[in-house]
Amino acid sequence: MQNNEALISIENVSFTYEKEPTLSNITLDVYEKDFLVLIGPNGGGKSTLMKLILGLLPLQSGSIKIYNKKAKKVLSKIGYVPQNTNINLNFPIKAIDVVMMGAKEDKTAALTVLKEVGMEEFAQIKIGLLSGGQRQRIMIARALYNEPKILLLDEPTSSIDVDGQEQIYELLKELNKKITIIVISHDLSVIMKYANKVAHIHKRLTFHSLDSLKAQFTTGDEHICEVELLQMLGKLK
Amino acid sequence: MIEALSYEFMQNALIAGLLVSFIAGIMGSLIVVNRMVFLAGGIAHAAYGGIGIALFTGLPIFVGTSIFAVIAAIFMALVTLKQKENSDIFIGLIWAVGMAIGIIFVDLTPGYNVDLMSYLFGSILAVSSDDIIFMAVLLCIILFVLFFWYRELLAVSYDSEYASLSGINVKFFYTLLLVLSALTVVIAIKVVGLILVIALLTIPIYIAQNLAHSLLSMMFTSGVIASVFTLVGLWLSYTYDLTSGACIILVAGISLILFMIYTKLR
């Protein structure tokens, strides 16, 4: 539907850790302001694909281009929120310093992004004292600090309760007005409510634009049979 | 104690104690937050290889040990970066092989009569002016590194994956940390000995971790706490004629236990 050029263009990417390929011939285009959800079984290669996009893993075959350039050259345009935010909880560091991590120090800018994620008042609190959901917001603020055009999130709600999850996705929806979002999630209700595209990754990739799917699966009372949908997402071509 | 301060060896011991405490506080903080305690232990023991080689070749002990420990640290950096899964095995290997090399070279040294115990448990009362210069230079290097690269070290220590996305050369800073740790271990050997060095690099840091709100304040709080342990230990060692390194570590250990009880009760 979009005529403009793809923001991220992944072509024939395969990746093997040991012997068995984890990803095989992945081809995917991501367009501006997409809200793309990556789903699939554990070990199916979702995180691997994300790390390949970021250049955290070396590309073995195929090509990944962002803004028509090699990923490494445009890293400043990408924000990343890792899966595990419970690392180093004893680390003596304040939330605001996590936000400014690895970049130029600019307290005003840091407070602005903290405000954006609703965490302004926690700026001076030690990161280990925050709850899982609060820490997740800090990580999102850190990813936003460099004003990225694309935001990648690896299971951002895996360690928080349902209310917290809803809030995070509402926040992402708001951010999506300005930036492209790629998120790994297991939560199908999230996909139906927020995403416009879904890619099912299980070694291979099956792609769906959600408009057609929603029409197919949404009955009058908006009830969705999740099991059926999940099967569909994996099988459809 | 006051009249003891008129002796030069006592003055040297005090200065060395303070220098080593601050170095241990800064580097210990980095070692602890990077979960490198086992690595530092490996380097400390491997450093004994350097002591043996220095004795055998007649090199000054500090020089020989420093060179050997730095080589061991770079080697450890290479294998732990390459072989993350097996890093424990390689650390253990370097730990033991380094010590074995030291023992063999000490065996081979003719007319060997240096007090081995002083390297294992430290001899702060035998610190020379040259030793103090070496310690002061190392503290300056560490402060210099912090001044220029604090933010990078902070990022690498907290989240190395994110640091590499920010364009920070994680491997370089990881290796730099290990090399500085190696030099720290070499000078701490003089004060508390290579067996006890790990305690000086961890106990003050554990207490400071609970008090500090930033890595920088943790480093200097650790330095102050380590200084108190060193001075009290030194005083006990002098007054009761006990081994200085063991006194310092016991003071640190007892303080840690009291601190833990205090935080539980609070």
Side-chain angles (χ1 to χ4, degrees), chain B residues 45-53 55-56 68 96-109 116:
Chain B
H45 288 79
Y48 190 69
I51 294 174
I53 291 174
L55 286 172
F56 181 75
F68 192 84
V97 169
M99 280 215 95
I101 291 172
I103 289 164
I104 297 292
F105 274 100
V106 169
D107 283 348
L108 294 174
T109 306
L116 175 67

Side-chain angles (χ1 to χ4, degrees), chain A residues 51 54 56 75 80 87-88 90-92 94 100-103 105 126-127 139 142-143, chain B residues 33 35 151 154-155 157-159 161-162 164-166 168 209-210 212-215 218:
Chain A
K51 288 190 171 170
L54 289 162
L56 285 172
L75 272 181
Y80 174 55
I87 46 161
N88 269 339
N90 284 325
F91 201 107
K94 287 181 278 191
M100 297 188 292
M101 174 158 293
E105 198 172 322
K126 245 170 147 176
I127 192 82
M139 295 299 161
R142 178 177 73 169
Chain B
V33 297
R35 290 149 206 259
R151 295 190 63 75
L154 178 71
S157 304
Y158 182 70
D159 187 344
E161 190 179 64
Y162 197 84
S164 82
L165 283 179
S166 311
I168 294 170
Q209 186 169 268
N210 288 283
H213 280 267
S214 73
L215 183 59
M218 181 188 189

Side-chain angles (χ1 to χ4, degrees), chain B residues 39-111:
Chain B
L39 261 169
I43 295 172
H45 288 79
Y48 190 69
I51 294 174
I53 291 174
L55 286 172
F56 181 75
T57 57
L59 273 173
I61 300 279
F62 255 170
V63 177
T65 317
S66 299
I67 294 171
F68 192 84
V70 167
I71 291 172
I74 292 173
F75 189 63
M76 278 212 192
L78 292 178
V79 291
T80 49
L81 282 169
K82 270 244 149 78
Q83 294 265 349
K84 275 211 173 99
E85 265 117 71
N86 289 326
S87 63
D88 280 7
I89 295 167
F90 284 104
I91 295 167
L93 184 85
I94 295 167
W95 180 311
V97 169
M99 280 215 95
I101 291 172
I103 289 164
I104 297 292
F105 274 100
V106 169
D107 283 348
L108 294 174
T109 306

Side-chain angles (χ1 to χ4, degrees), chain A residues 36-49:
Chain A
L36 170 70
V37 178
L38 303 178
I39 59 162
N42 287 328
K46 305 181 298 289
S47 294
T48 303
L49 181 61

